Amino acid sequence: AQKVTQAQTEISVVEKEDVTLDCVYETRDTTYYLFWYKQPPSGELVFLIRRNSFDEQNEISGRYSWNFQKSTSSFNFTITASQVVDSAVYFCALSEAVYNNAGNMLTFGGGTRLMVKP
Amino acid sequence: DSGVTQTPKHLITATGQRVTLRCSPRSGDLSVYWYQQSLDQGLQFLIQYYNGEERAKGNILERFSAQQFPDLHSELNLSSLELGDSALYFCASSPRGSQSNSPLHFGNGTRLTVT
């Protein structure tokens, strides 16, 4: 069974601070995919990034960066110089490789609520 | 805008009633997924359809059912509603049926309140 844990339920920072959101996952598969989604106060779920288990390169996109460490089963997300608009709930998710007709279902972590204060 | 359309945005109904939530996937996407987001259970996968056929099932109650029509839109039917069914119901779509590397694109959700 797969499981995603986001131990930080809520984080509060002041604007311009850097913040890291932790994500730890469990899976028995050797091939799997990791995702981060953002849920702003308006409620929609916005896709941020996808990473497969064979690609351990870190990724940077503007102020966002992701650190994938297979050895510790972690896929952490860092926001540099946070802004008020970054305030949202962030979800980490896992999808195992498909060998049957199981499809592309995602297992989500419980989410981390990030509050960025001006 | 994800391109996934869900209607209605809000729904308020009474216990014991039945409701239907509707989802139109992104143009070209064949798979539709339904998720439930509640305060105590978080985001839970309910069911997936691919090109009209049920493909995967998660923690979906027997009182709930879904289907995907030939035009690829999907409906989630919730019956004998209970207070605990109050939640945000998301629909998502992806272009391929069985590959895990396609990100899901979510609609804005339908907020169901059962009173």
Side-chain angles (χ1 to χ4, degrees):
Chain A
Q2 51 189 358
K3 185 179 177 182
V4 178
T5 302
Q6 294 179 254
Q8 306 148 309
T9 53
E10 206 166 283
I11 299 176
S12 181
V13 299
V14 176
E15 209 171 16
K16 296 185 185 175
E17 283 186 20
D18 298 347
V19 58
T20 296
L21 311 181
D22 298 333
C23 172
V24 174
Y25 61 91
E26 294 176 29
T27 177
R28 283 178 285 190
D29 259 10
T30 54
T31 302
Y32 50 89
Y33 300 84
L34 296 163
F35 303 80
W36 276 93
Y37 282 83
K38 173 182 180 180
Q39 187 175 37
S42 48
E44 71 271 25
L45 282 165
V46 180
F47 165 73
L48 295 178
I49 189 172
R50 172 191 66 232
R51 170 69 71 222
N52 73 54
S53 53
F54 295 110
D55 182 2
E56 289 194 69
Q57 281 191 354
N58 293 329
E59 180 152 344
I60 298 174
S61 176
R63 295 184 297 107
Y64 294 172
S65 63
W66 289 270
N67 180 264
F68 175 33
Q69 295 211 347
K70 214 166 174 177
S71 59
T72 56
S73 297
S74 65
F75 186 44
N76 297 336
F77 173 29
T78 297
I79 302 175
T80 303
S82 60
Q83 299 176 0
V84 173
V85 293
D86 296 327
S87 297
V89 180
Y90 291 86
F91 291 94
C92 181
L94 167 71
S95 179
E96 292 177 338
V98 176
Y99 300 110
N100 51 31
N101 289 330
N104 197 19
M105 57 186 143
L106 297 177
T107 296
F108 284 88
T112 297
R113 181 177 299 278
L114 173 65
M115 292 175 290
V116 182
K117 299 177 182 176
Chain B
D1 184 4
S2 69
V4 179
T5 304
Q6 287 188 250
T7 57
K9 287 186 179 178
H10 302 277
L11 202 48
I12 301 175
T13 189
T15 54
Q17 294 299 304
R18 173 190 170 94
V19 297
T20 297
L21 313 184
R22 183 188 166 102
C23 169
S24 294
R26 291 190 319 163
S27 177
D29 285 0
L30 299 179
S31 272
V32 169
Y33 307 78
W34 287 97
Y35 280 81
Q36 179 194 57
Q37 185 179 26
S38 60
L39 284 175
D40 53 345
Q41 297 288 330
L43 267 163
Q44 291 218 71
F45 168 71
L46 296 178
I47 197 164
Q48 178 205 1
Y49 278 82
Y50 173 70
N51 207 19
E53 294 188 1
E54 183 183 303
R55 182 58 67 96
K57 220 168 186 175
N59 298 322
I60 187 166
L61 300 172
E62 284 191 13
R63 300 183 285 108
F64 295 0
S65 65
Q67 58 185 131
Q68 186 179 27
F69 294 88
D71 67 353
L72 300 177
H73 92 270
S74 177
E75 292 181 356
L76 178 67
N77 300 298
L78 314 177
S79 61
S80 303
L81 285 168
E82 302 174 0
L83 295 177
D85 297 328
S86 296
L88 187 54
Y89 290 84
F90 283 106
C91 170
S93 72
S94 68
R96 287 172 256 177
S98 299
Q99 297 189 29
S100 299
N101 60 342
S102 303
L104 303 190
H105 295 271
F106 285 82
N108 288 345
T110 293
R111 184 166 296 282
L112 173 66
T113 303
V114 182
T115 61

